């Protein structure tokens, strides 16, 4: 897959249909797709927790992981693609949440 060039600059909380939640580092386009997924019943809810997070080294590394493993869903989506993470990517998200005093 060709590497994407998405800049990630917000933290959101996504609620799956089973009621479980997870944090994601995204951007306004990705958040808009999540809102659309909620309207279509693919997920229960998405909430932005923090906008304009600092572009730290952890964010840059996580961006690279997402941009090389995933393609941003378009409006014709027929499901919600949860970004599955490696243990290293999980640690990056954990560190980003700590940097931003969330979680």
């Amino acid at each position: 897959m060709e590497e994407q060039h998405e800049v990630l600059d917000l933290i959101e909380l996504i609620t799956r249909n089973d009621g479980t939640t997870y944090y994601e580092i995204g951007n306004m386009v990705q958040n808009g797709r999540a809102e659309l997924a909620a309207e279509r019943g693919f997920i229960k809810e998405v909430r932005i927790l923090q906008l304009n997070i600092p572009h730290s080294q952890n964010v840059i590394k996580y961006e690279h992981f997402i941009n090389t493993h995933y393609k941003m869903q378009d409006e014709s989506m027929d499901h919600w693609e949860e970004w599955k993470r490696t243990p290293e990517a999980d640690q990056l998200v954990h560190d980003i949440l700590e940097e931003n005093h969330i979680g």
Side-chain angles (χ1 to χ4, degrees):
M1 174 172 65
E2 182 180 328
E3 185 171 350
Q4 302 292 295
H5 299 285
E6 298 294 333
V7 175
L8 305 180
D9 60 1
L10 60 80
I11 299 171
E12 53 193 1
L13 181 65
I14 296 175
T15 304
R16 299 176 187 100
N17 283 332
D18 66 4
T20 60
T21 60
Y22 68 99
Y23 294 101
E24 192 52 84
I25 313 305
N27 60 30
M28 289 307 290
V29 173
Q30 189 270 344
N31 180 262
R33 297 300 187 264
E35 290 285 349
L36 184 59
E39 287 176 16
R40 293 180 179 173
F42 306 142
I43 59 175
K44 188 177 283 186
E45 177 182 56
V46 60
R47 289 183 356 184
I48 295 175
L49 301 179
Q50 189 164 336
L51 292 168
N52 300 320
I53 62 173
H55 205 231
S56 68
Q57 287 301 309
N58 289 321
V59 172
I60 291 168
K61 290 175 187 174
Y62 189 64
E63 275 177 351
H64 178 71
F65 171 77
I66 294 302
N67 284 325
T68 56
H69 289 84
Y70 294 98
K71 184 176 181 196
M72 191 69 66
Q73 290 181 274
D74 64 25
E75 291 179 23
S76 66
M77 70 175 131
D78 61 0
H79 68 285
W80 174 248
E81 183 176 9
E82 184 174 330
W83 295 341
K84 300 296 181 192
R85 300 181 202 136
T86 62
E88 294 81 14
D90 260 341
Q91 185 61 51
L92 289 170
V93 170
H94 173 79
D95 292 345
I96 293 165
L97 294 173
E98 275 193 356
E99 290 169 356
N100 289 280
H101 311 287
I102 294 177

